[in-house]
């Protein structure tokens, strides 16, 4: 009898294991509601599209011609060392959470500093990593948010921002990483928009940015001994001015910055610190200069312009103040420009529609471009992936709005269903970088994808970026409505099968479109999006509130509060009768999970199909591969169920 019971138990266990292997089981950190069981066969089918890797340049070794990169081999991106173009990637850090940045000292390769949070909460801590022993030392308090570390030229000090005093204000701190006990408050600052940009070559001053909004910021110098701060760029002008990156000149008499002063676009500019005179260095380029770096000898600036979404690398001679031609750099999106100490190698990360991000270098003396990493693409031949087509349509006020259209391969005949993927920010921009998992929908399911850059997007001048501020918010919704009109005119697109999706502010736009134009779409996928800008502003992290109020409007003002409540998707959720999938992270410091939870609760009252996915160990978007994979599997099922039927 006992033997028979044991046999029955064994058979039951085997049957359970077999049944378990037929489906994808959500891991213990995922809360899943309304999502049907996901067949293991679906995971196998899409598997290659989940195995893309990317490599991003973080820092150069100051002595050897070696690179620090971040890339993912297991679940999250970690720090790796690469000693030559195409060389092996030696992993240095091994954490369950991703590394957000890594920086060598400018004078020694014995150690580096890296930044990391826990569970996507963005409470970043700084650590010193000893290359010889592998020992890691915590440099910050372990409790507050610590950001944007900047090394002194001598490599003996690190300046960074920290919220440890109030939890909201970002003060300026300084530490010698070799002596963690040296950590101290240098300057007490008011507000959450402060960032250290650079040290003066003599180590006496720190250049600091004060961000008020995407359209308004100021530059200060802070005395590295006393903490006394001096305003460089005056306040109170009739026209708001934004300053971006900043570096001291080699002689310390001036600073190189990006600014939209006297221009629609961010220009590379030199400011004389004694006269405050601005000299514009890239005024012949009608696009934003989005980042730059100054060579160690101060003779050359490498800068990147954002030209209709593509990144273009430029070189500028600071002596004769003339641009040097650059050739041989592949077309794509460029970021993370860093000079090596040898003054002739400039490194950067580059991504394109057919290549995930990889680290490159350009020898400015020889013009030689070298690719340092060759990130895996899941065994797929990405050379056949679609190149995006830049499209334009006329919006409701006659203004031209642009976006990128990804068309399926020619073997998909007839009118194709459409995914409209709206970027976040809102002061951001869709760039034609590697789509990754999105390529599955285009290549394998025959879905066209449109990524619009509606009013309020960056990259098209400061007037355009302000067109959705405050009570102008609904103008961006109408840009999507006119995009739906444009789709109707396209013979190869099916206007009757349109899915709206987006993350962060793109998630808010998704909900806004779903509530305002419910009859024009068939379903939607909202990822970490606010559902009511009033409750969002009241509960987003304190260091972000003032910055967001400039963009959305101040909910403490009765008239603005009434307006924001009137346009809130959560207050118009009764309009949603089409299926919706809502995704959130429990630890999100930007858009609290309650924004998603309230939308789920309200829409369910309509009797509308609602799929709900929440990760307990994530923040503003999923960073762990196992969670990203489950989100992808579930979204593919949702697309097949409600867009393709």
């Amino acid at each position: 009898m006992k033997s028979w019971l044991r046999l029955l138990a064994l058979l039951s266990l085997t049957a359970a294991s077999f049944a378990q292997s037929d489906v994808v089981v959500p891991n213990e950190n995922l809360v899943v509601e309304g999502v049907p069981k996901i067949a293991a066969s679906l995971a196998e089918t899409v598997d290659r599209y989940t195995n893309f890797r990317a490599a991003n340049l973080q820092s150069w070794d100051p002595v050897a011609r070696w690179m620090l990169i971040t890339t993912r081999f297991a679940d999250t991106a970690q720090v790796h060392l690469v000693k030559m173009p195409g060389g092996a990637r030696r992993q240095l850090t091994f954490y369950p959470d991703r590394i957000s940045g890594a920086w060598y000292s400018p004078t020694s390769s014995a150690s580096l500093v890296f930044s990391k949070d826990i569970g996507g909460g963005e409470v970043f801590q700084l650590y010193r990593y000893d290359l010889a022993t592998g020992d890691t030392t915590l440099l910050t308090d372990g409790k507050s948010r610590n950001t944007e570390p900047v090394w002194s030229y001598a490599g003996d000090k690190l300046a960074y921002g920290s919220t440890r005093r109030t939890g909201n204000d970002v003060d300026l701190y300084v530490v010698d990483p070799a002596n963690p006990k040296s950590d101290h408050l240098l300057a007490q600052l008011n507000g959450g928009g402060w960032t250290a940009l650079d040290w003066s070559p003599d180590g006496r001053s720190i250049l600091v940015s004060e961000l008020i909004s995407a359209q308004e910021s100021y530059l200060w110098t802070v005395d590295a001994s006393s903490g006394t701060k001096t305003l460089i760029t005056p306040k109170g002008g009739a026209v708001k001015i934004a300053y971006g990156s900043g570096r001291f000149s080699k002689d310390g008499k001036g600073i190189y910055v990006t600014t939209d002063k006297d221009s629609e676009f961010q220009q590379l500019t030199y400011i004389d610190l004694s006269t405050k005179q601005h000299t514009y260095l890239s005024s012949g380029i009608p696009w934003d200069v989005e980042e730059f770096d100054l060579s160690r000898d101060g003779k050359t600036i490498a800068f990147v312009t954002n030209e209709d979404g593509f990144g273009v690398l430029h070189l500028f001679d600071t002596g004769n103040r003339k641009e040097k031609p650059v050739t041989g750099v592949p077309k794509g999106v460029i970021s993370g420009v860093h000079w090596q100490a040898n003054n002739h190698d400039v490194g950067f990360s580059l991504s394109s529609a057919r290549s995930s991000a990889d680290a490159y270098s350009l020898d400015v003396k020889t013009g030689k471009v070298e690719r340092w990493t060759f990130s895996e693409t899941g065994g797929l031949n990405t050379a056949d992936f679609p190149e995006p087509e830049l499209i334009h349509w006329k919006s409701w006020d006659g203004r031209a709005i642009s976006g990128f259209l990804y068309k399926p391969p020619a073997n998909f005949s007839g009118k194709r269903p459409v995914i409209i993927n709206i970027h976040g920010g809102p002061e951001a921009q869709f760039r034609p970088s590697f789509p990754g998992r999105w390529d599955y929908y285009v290549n394998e399911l025959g879905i066209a994808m449109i990524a619009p850059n509606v009013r309020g997007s960056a990259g098209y001048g400061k007037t355009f970026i302000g067109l959705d501020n405050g009570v102008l918010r609904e103008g961006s919704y109408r840009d999507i409505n006119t995009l739906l009109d444009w789709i109707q005119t396209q013979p190869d697109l099916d206007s009757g099968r349109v899915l709206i999706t987006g993350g962060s502010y793109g998630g808010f736009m998704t909900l806004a479109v779903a509530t305002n134009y419910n009859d024009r779409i068939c379903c939607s996928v909202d990822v970490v999006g606010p559902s009511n800008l009033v409750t969002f502003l009241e509960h987003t992290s304190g260091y972000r509130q003032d910055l967001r109020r400039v963009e959305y409007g101040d909910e403490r003002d009765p008239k603005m509060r009434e307006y924001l409540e009137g346009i809130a998707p959560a207050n118009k959720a009764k309009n949603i009768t089409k299926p919706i999938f809502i995704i959130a992270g429990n630890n999100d410091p930007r858009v609290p999970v309650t924004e998603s939870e309230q939308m789920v609760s309200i829409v369910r009252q309509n009797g509308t199909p609602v799929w709900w996915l929440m990760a307990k160990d994530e923040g503003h978007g999923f960073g762990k591969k196992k969670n990203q994979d489950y989100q992808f599997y579930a979204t593919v099922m949702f697309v097949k169920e409600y867009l393709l039927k």
Side-chain angles (χ1 to χ4, degrees):
M1 185 65 171
K2 288 182 180 178
S3 299
W4 173 245
L5 289 173
R6 280 198 298 269
L7 179 60
L8 273 178
L10 182 62
L11 288 172
S12 298
L13 227 111
T14 305
S17 300
F18 180 78
Q20 193 91 343
S21 67
D22 283 347
V23 298
V24 176
V25 180
N27 68 70
E28 67 280 2
N29 287 308
L30 295 179
V31 175
V32 182
E33 296 174 2
V35 180
K37 289 183 178 179
I38 299 173
S41 58
L42 183 146
E44 292 170 6
T45 300
V46 306
D47 181 64
R48 291 188 298 173
Y49 287 87
T50 70
N51 285 313
F52 299 124
R53 288 197 177 97
N56 289 290
L57 172 63
Q58 298 294 326
S59 184
W60 284 98
D61 185 300
V63 180
R65 190 173 179 262
W66 299 348
M67 282 184 177
L68 279 184
I69 66 162
T70 48
T71 191
R72 177 195 60 76
F73 272 83
D75 210 27
T76 57
Q78 300 295 312
V79 182
H80 293 69
L81 180 64
V82 182
K83 294 187 175 182
M84 66 182 73
R89 294 158 287 185
R90 176 192 162 201
Q91 188 166 342
L92 303 181
T93 61
F94 299 83
Y95 290 98
D97 293 290
R98 56 188 165 187
I99 303 297
S100 55
W103 305 267
Y104 268 121
S105 157
T107 58
S108 171
S109 55
S111 64
L112 59 93
V113 170
F114 68 88
S115 172
K116 183 183 75 69
D117 70 347
I118 295 175
E122 300 185 13
V123 183
F124 299 106
Q125 305 302 319
L126 302 179
Y127 302 82
R128 179 180 182 271
Y129 179 90
D130 188 297
L131 270 294
T133 65
D135 291 341
T136 298
T137 304
L138 177 66
L139 300 177
T140 45
D141 66 343
K143 301 175 183 177
S144 60
R145 173 183 163 91
N146 305 276
T147 53
E148 308 296 339
V150 179
W151 282 102
S152 64
Y153 275 66
D156 60 343
K157 293 183 179 68
L158 203 67
Y160 65 94
S162 178
T163 61
R164 76 184 65 170
R165 180 173 58 89
T166 67
N168 296 331
D169 299 302
V170 177
D171 297 323
L172 186 63
Y173 279 72
V174 172
V175 64
D176 174 1
N179 177 20
K181 292 183 179 179
S182 67
D183 187 38
H184 65 281
L185 171 66
L186 176 63
Q188 182 173 307
L189 306 169
N190 294 320
W194 295 88
T195 304
L197 299 177
D198 195 23
W199 288 73
S200 61
D202 62 9
R204 295 179 179 178
S205 296
I206 303 170
L207 181 64
V208 176
S209 168
E210 179 190 9
L211 179 67
I212 306 299
S213 72
Q215 295 174 285
E216 181 183 4
S217 54
Y218 303 94
L219 297 175
W220 301 72
T221 54
V222 176
D223 186 286
S225 297
S226 67
T228 302
K229 64 182 191 295
T230 303
L231 182 64
I232 300 173
T233 55
K235 295 189 176 186
V239 178
K240 302 299 183 186
I241 298 169
Y243 290 86
S245 304
R247 294 291 308 274
F248 279 95
S249 59
K250 180 66 175 176
D251 59 13
K253 295 180 179 179
I255 54 174
Y256 294 102
V257 303
T258 60
T259 179
D260 61 11
K261 179 178 168 62
D262 301 322
S263 173
E264 271 292 311
F265 296 95
Q266 288 276 319
Q267 300 181 78
L268 183 66
T269 304
Y270 176 78
I271 302 177
D272 185 301
L273 288 176
S274 61
T275 66
K276 306 301 186 292
Q277 180 181 346
H278 289 52
T279 302
Y280 304 117
L281 308 177
S282 65
S283 54
I285 303 174
W287 299 100
D288 280 334
V289 176
E290 55 185 3
E291 66 171 281
F292 72 90
D293 194 27
L294 179 67
S295 61
R296 184 77 173 173
D297 60 11
K299 294 181 178 179
T300 313
I301 296 173
F303 68 95
V304 179
T305 52
N306 173 356
E307 304 188 9
D308 249 336
F310 292 95
V312 180
L313 182 65
H314 303 258
L315 297 173
F316 183 84
D317 188 312
T318 61
N320 61 24
R321 293 194 170 177
K322 291 184 178 180
E323 190 175 339
K324 302 176 181 180
V326 175
T327 59
V329 176
K331 186 177 182 180
V333 178
I334 297 173
S335 61
V337 175
H338 296 286
W339 283 95
Q340 214 276 342
N342 62 22
N343 297 306
H344 63 84
D345 278 311
V346 59
F348 52 92
S349 303
L350 186 144
S351 171
S352 71
R354 293 176 175 172
S355 175
S356 57
D358 273 308
Y360 288 75
S361 69
L362 166 68
D363 188 319
V364 301
K365 291 185 177 179
T366 66
K368 185 178 182 181
V369 176
E370 293 182 287
R371 185 172 175 176
W372 283 65
T373 59
F374 293 81
S375 294
E376 292 80 1
T377 57
L380 289 161
N381 178 14
T382 60
D384 296 329
F385 281 15
E387 289 280 0
E389 173 189 342
L390 180 64
I391 62 171
H392 296 84
W393 67 95
K394 186 177 289 188
S395 194
W396 55 274
D397 59 353
R399 188 177 300 272
I401 305 296
S402 66
F404 289 92
L405 168 62
Y406 292 78
K407 289 186 175 181
N411 59 294
F412 288 99
S413 60
K415 288 192 171 190
R416 306 314 310 157
V418 180
I419 291 176
I420 297 178
N421 184 10
I422 308 172
H423 69 72
E427 317 97 332
Q429 179 188 20
F430 181 86
R431 309 287 298 278
S433 58
F434 191 63
R437 289 173 169 86
W438 288 105
D439 272 314
Y440 176 80
Y441 301 107
V442 180
N443 296 339
E444 309 295 340
L445 299 183
I447 301 169
M449 185 177 78
I450 300 175
N453 284 313
V454 297
R455 66 192 64 215
S457 301
Y460 306 98
K462 63 185 179 184
T463 299
F464 191 83
I465 204 172
L467 289 176
D468 67 341
N469 287 0
V471 295
L472 303 177
R473 181 67 41 202
E474 293 169 286
S476 58
Y477 312 169
R478 296 171 70 183
D479 288 341
I480 298 297
N481 191 40
T482 54
L483 173 57
L484 295 170
D485 292 338
W486 181 86
I487 291 171
Q488 284 185 321
T489 69
Q490 304 304 302
D492 53 349
L493 301 181
D494 187 349
S495 62
R497 291 189 292 169
V498 177
L499 179 151
I500 303 289
T501 188
S504 190
Y505 178 74
F508 174 80
M509 284 286 289
T510 296
L511 297 177
V513 172
T515 52
N516 285 284
Y517 309 112
N518 176 74
D519 293 340
R520 304 201 70 183
I521 64 172
C522 62
C523 52
S524 56
V525 180
D526 157 38
V527 183
V528 300
S531 59
N532 184 329
L533 293 179
V534 171
T535 54
F536 159 73
L537 289 167
E538 289 176 336
H539 298 110
T540 190
S541 294
Y543 59 85
R544 304 183 70 252
Q545 283 177 315
D546 288 340
L547 174 66
R548 295 295 83 199
R549 283 170 176 148
V550 176
E551 167 70 27
Y552 297 127
D554 192 333
E555 85 288 357
R556 296 168 299 184
D557 175 81
K559 289 185 178 180
M560 180 55 69
R561 188 182 190 92
E562 182 181 2
Y563 172 75
L564 294 178
E565 290 282 13
I567 67 169
N571 293 335
K572 303 166 74 174
K574 67 179 185 302
N575 296 342
I576 298 181
T577 62
K578 306 297 177 63
I580 188 169
F581 187 8
I582 297 178
I583 300 159
N586 189 61
N587 304 325
D588 194 337
R590 305 188 196 189
V591 180
V593 67
T594 50
E595 288 295 305
S596 297
E597 289 173 336
Q598 66 186 6
M599 200 68 189
V600 170
S601 175
I602 297 168
V603 177
R604 278 179 175 164
Q605 295 174 22
N606 301 343
T608 299
V610 179
W611 294 18
W612 168 236
L613 174 61
M614 190 271 284
K616 300 175 186 176
D617 59 343
E618 299 280 12
H620 198 60
F622 291 3
K624 297 179 172 67
K625 185 179 184 297
K626 61 177 179 290
N627 295 336
Q628 293 172 343
D629 286 350
Y630 187 87
Q631 177 185 342
F632 181 49
Y633 304 152
T635 307
V636 169
M637 283 191 60
F638 185 84
V639 167
K640 288 184 173 182
E641 178 70 21
Y642 297 114
L643 179 65
L644 297 185
K645 281 192 174 180

PDB file of all heavy atoms in Angstrom, residues 179-196:
ATOM      1  N   ASN A 179      40.048  57.616   1.094  1.00  0.00           N
ATOM      2  CA  ASN A 179      39.800  57.846   2.515  1.00  0.00           C
ATOM      3  C   ASN A 179      38.331  58.176   2.717  1.00  0.00           C
ATOM      4  O   ASN A 179      37.945  59.339   2.780  1.00  0.00           O
ATOM      5  CB  ASN A 179      40.686  58.990   3.028  1.00  0.00           C
ATOM      6  CG  ASN A 179      40.421  59.310   4.490  1.00  0.00           C
ATOM      7  OD1 ASN A 179      39.877  58.486   5.243  1.00  0.00           O
ATOM      8  ND2 ASN A 179      40.797  60.515   4.900  1.00  0.00           N
ATOM      9  N   PRO A 180      37.476  57.185   2.809  1.00  0.00           N
ATOM     10  CA  PRO A 180      36.029  57.417   2.918  1.00  0.00           C
ATOM     11  C   PRO A 180      35.631  58.338   4.067  1.00  0.00           C
ATOM     12  O   PRO A 180      34.616  59.029   3.983  1.00  0.00           O
ATOM     13  CB  PRO A 180      35.463  56.012   3.121  1.00  0.00           C
ATOM     14  CG  PRO A 180      36.483  55.103   2.507  1.00  0.00           C
ATOM     15  CD  PRO A 180      37.799  55.746   2.770  1.00  0.00           C
ATOM     16  N   LYS A 181      36.440  58.387   5.122  1.00  0.00           N
ATOM     17  CA  LYS A 181      36.110  59.253   6.254  1.00  0.00           C
ATOM     18  C   LYS A 181      36.250  60.733   5.919  1.00  0.00           C
ATOM     19  O   LYS A 181      35.807  61.589   6.682  1.00  0.00           O
ATOM     20  CB  LYS A 181      37.006  58.902   7.444  1.00  0.00           C
ATOM     21  CG  LYS A 181      36.711  57.521   8.037  1.00  0.00           C
ATOM     22  CD  LYS A 181      37.564  57.238   9.249  1.00  0.00           C
ATOM     23  CE  LYS A 181      37.239  55.870   9.843  1.00  0.00           C
ATOM     24  NZ  LYS A 181      38.082  55.562  11.035  1.00  0.00           N
ATOM     25  N   SER A 182      36.860  61.042   4.772  1.00  0.00           N
ATOM     26  CA  SER A 182      37.006  62.443   4.360  1.00  0.00           C
ATOM     27  C   SER A 182      35.718  63.012   3.783  1.00  0.00           C
ATOM     28  O   SER A 182      35.633  64.217   3.513  1.00  0.00           O
ATOM     29  CB  SER A 182      38.127  62.563   3.315  1.00  0.00           C
ATOM     30  OG  SER A 182      37.740  61.909   2.106  1.00  0.00           O
ATOM     31  N   ASP A 183      34.725  62.189   3.595  1.00  0.00           N
ATOM     32  CA  ASP A 183      33.455  62.619   2.989  1.00  0.00           C
ATOM     33  C   ASP A 183      32.837  63.749   3.799  1.00  0.00           C
ATOM     34  O   ASP A 183      32.666  63.633   5.017  1.00  0.00           O
ATOM     35  CB  ASP A 183      32.505  61.422   2.941  1.00  0.00           C
ATOM     36  CG  ASP A 183      31.230  61.715   2.173  1.00  0.00           C
ATOM     37  OD1 ASP A 183      31.303  62.420   1.155  1.00  0.00           O
ATOM     38  OD2 ASP A 183      30.167  61.231   2.601  1.00  0.00           O
ATOM     39  N   HIS A 184      32.483  64.865   3.126  1.00  0.00           N
ATOM     40  CA  HIS A 184      31.929  66.003   3.861  1.00  0.00           C
ATOM     41  C   HIS A 184      31.052  66.870   2.972  1.00  0.00           C
ATOM     42  O   HIS A 184      31.196  66.885   1.749  1.00  0.00           O
ATOM     43  CB  HIS A 184      33.042  66.860   4.464  1.00  0.00           C
ATOM     44  CG  HIS A 184      33.912  67.536   3.441  1.00  0.00           C
ATOM     45  ND1 HIS A 184      34.926  66.873   2.771  1.00  0.00           N
ATOM     46  CD2 HIS A 184      33.924  68.819   2.971  1.00  0.00           C
ATOM     47  CE1 HIS A 184      35.530  67.711   1.941  1.00  0.00           C
ATOM     48  NE2 HIS A 184      34.944  68.895   2.037  1.00  0.00           N
ATOM     49  N   LEU A 185      30.129  67.569   3.599  1.00  0.00           N
ATOM     50  CA  LEU A 185      29.268  68.532   2.924  1.00  0.00           C
ATOM     51  C   LEU A 185      30.092  69.770   2.601  1.00  0.00           C
ATOM     52  O   LEU A 185      30.674  70.387   3.489  1.00  0.00           O
ATOM     53  CB  LEU A 185      28.091  68.902   3.829  1.00  0.00           C
ATOM     54  CG  LEU A 185      27.194  70.056   3.372  1.00  0.00           C
ATOM     55  CD1 LEU A 185      26.443  69.692   2.108  1.00  0.00           C
ATOM     56  CD2 LEU A 185      26.217  70.438   4.483  1.00  0.00           C
ATOM     57  N   LEU A 186      30.130  70.150   1.311  1.00  0.00           N
ATOM     58  CA  LEU A 186      30.859  71.349   0.910  1.00  0.00           C
ATOM     59  C   LEU A 186      29.939  72.549   0.791  1.00  0.00           C
ATOM     60  O   LEU A 186      30.249  73.636   1.273  1.00  0.00           O
ATOM     61  CB  LEU A 186      31.579  71.117  -0.423  1.00  0.00           C
ATOM     62  CG  LEU A 186      32.314  72.332  -0.996  1.00  0.00           C
ATOM     63  CD1 LEU A 186      33.442  72.769  -0.064  1.00  0.00           C
ATOM     64  CD2 LEU A 186      32.849  72.043  -2.395  1.00  0.00           C
ATOM     65  N   ALA A 187      28.780  72.357   0.149  1.00  0.00           N
ATOM     66  CA  ALA A 187      27.864  73.484  -0.069  1.00  0.00           C
ATOM     67  C   ALA A 187      26.432  73.020   0.104  1.00  0.00           C
ATOM     68  O   ALA A 187      26.006  72.046  -0.517  1.00  0.00           O
ATOM     69  CB  ALA A 187      28.068  74.081  -1.453  1.00  0.00           C
ATOM     70  N   GLN A 188      25.705  73.731   0.951  1.00  0.00           N
ATOM     71  CA  GLN A 188      24.286  73.457   1.143  1.00  0.00           C
ATOM     72  C   GLN A 188      23.505  74.190   0.062  1.00  0.00           C
ATOM     73  O   GLN A 188      23.627  75.402  -0.097  1.00  0.00           O
ATOM     74  CB  GLN A 188      23.867  73.929   2.531  1.00  0.00           C
ATOM     75  CG  GLN A 188      22.426  73.648   2.879  1.00  0.00           C
ATOM     76  CD  GLN A 188      22.116  73.995   4.321  1.00  0.00           C
ATOM     77  OE1 GLN A 188      22.797  73.544   5.247  1.00  0.00           O
ATOM     78  NE2 GLN A 188      21.103  74.818   4.518  1.00  0.00           N
ATOM     79  N   LEU A 189      22.682  73.457  -0.682  1.00  0.00           N
ATOM     80  CA  LEU A 189      21.975  74.009  -1.837  1.00  0.00           C
ATOM     81  C   LEU A 189      20.477  73.763  -1.685  1.00  0.00           C
ATOM     82  O   LEU A 189      20.066  72.778  -1.069  1.00  0.00           O
ATOM     83  CB  LEU A 189      22.492  73.365  -3.132  1.00  0.00           C
ATOM     84  CG  LEU A 189      24.011  73.444  -3.348  1.00  0.00           C
ATOM     85  CD1 LEU A 189      24.433  72.556  -4.518  1.00  0.00           C
ATOM     86  CD2 LEU A 189      24.452  74.884  -3.590  1.00  0.00           C
ATOM     87  N   ASN A 190      19.690  74.629  -2.250  1.00  0.00           N
ATOM     88  CA  ASN A 190      18.235  74.504  -2.150  1.00  0.00           C
ATOM     89  C   ASN A 190      17.650  74.038  -3.483  1.00  0.00           C
ATOM     90  O   ASN A 190      17.891  74.654  -4.516  1.00  0.00           O
ATOM     91  CB  ASN A 190      17.611  75.852  -1.758  1.00  0.00           C
ATOM     92  CG  ASN A 190      18.014  76.291  -0.364  1.00  0.00           C
ATOM     93  OD1 ASN A 190      18.079  75.478   0.560  1.00  0.00           O
ATOM     94  ND2 ASN A 190      18.313  77.575  -0.205  1.00  0.00           N
ATOM     95  N   GLY A 191      16.896  72.952  -3.440  1.00  0.00           N
ATOM     96  CA  GLY A 191      16.285  72.415  -4.652  1.00  0.00           C
ATOM     97  C   GLY A 191      16.901  71.095  -5.063  1.00  0.00           C
ATOM     98  O   GLY A 191      17.974  70.711  -4.601  1.00  0.00           O
ATOM     99  N   GLY A 192      16.205  70.415  -5.960  1.00  0.00           N
ATOM    100  CA  GLY A 192      16.649  69.084  -6.367  1.00  0.00           C
ATOM    101  C   GLY A 192      17.350  69.027  -7.703  1.00  0.00           C
ATOM    102  O   GLY A 192      17.642  67.944  -8.202  1.00  0.00           O
ATOM    103  N   GLY A 193      17.653  70.197  -8.313  1.00  0.00           N
ATOM    104  CA  GLY A 193      18.194  70.207  -9.668  1.00  0.00           C
ATOM    105  C   GLY A 193      19.674  70.482  -9.786  1.00  0.00           C
ATOM    106  O   GLY A 193      20.145  70.883 -10.853  1.00  0.00           O
ATOM    107  N   TRP A 194      20.446  70.278  -8.721  1.00  0.00           N
ATOM    108  CA  TRP A 194      21.872  70.618  -8.729  1.00  0.00           C
ATOM    109  C   TRP A 194      22.739  69.441  -9.186  1.00  0.00           C
ATOM    110  O   TRP A 194      22.508  68.303  -8.798  1.00  0.00           O
ATOM    111  CB  TRP A 194      22.315  71.063  -7.344  1.00  0.00           C
ATOM    112  CG  TRP A 194      21.661  72.332  -6.880  1.00  0.00           C
ATOM    113  CD1 TRP A 194      20.469  72.445  -6.206  1.00  0.00           C
ATOM    114  CD2 TRP A 194      22.142  73.662  -7.052  1.00  0.00           C
ATOM    115  NE1 TRP A 194      20.184  73.764  -5.949  1.00  0.00           N
ATOM    116  CE2 TRP A 194      21.204  74.548  -6.457  1.00  0.00           C
ATOM    117  CE3 TRP A 194      23.275  74.215  -7.652  1.00  0.00           C
ATOM    118  CZ2 TRP A 194      21.364  75.918  -6.438  1.00  0.00           C
ATOM    119  CZ3 TRP A 194      23.445  75.591  -7.631  1.00  0.00           C
ATOM    120  CH2 TRP A 194      22.491  76.433  -7.032  1.00  0.00           C
ATOM    121  N   THR A 195      23.743  69.751 -10.021  1.00  0.00           N
ATOM    122  CA  THR A 195      24.651  68.731 -10.534  1.00  0.00           C
ATOM    123  C   THR A 195      26.061  69.300 -10.630  1.00  0.00           C
ATOM    124  O   THR A 195      26.261  70.397 -11.171  1.00  0.00           O
ATOM    125  CB  THR A 195      24.232  68.265 -11.944  1.00  0.00           C
ATOM    126  OG1 THR A 195      22.885  67.799 -11.908  1.00  0.00           O
ATOM    127  CG2 THR A 195      25.125  67.151 -12.444  1.00  0.00           C
ATOM    128  N   ALA A 196      27.052  68.562 -10.137  1.00  0.00           N
ATOM    129  CA  ALA A 196      28.455  68.934 -10.329  1.00  0.00           C
ATOM    130  C   ALA A 196      28.862  68.575 -11.753  1.00  0.00           C
ATOM    131  O   ALA A 196      28.576  67.466 -12.228  1.00  0.00           O
ATOM    132  CB  ALA A 196      29.336  68.205  -9.324  1.00  0.00           C
TER     133      ALA A 196
END
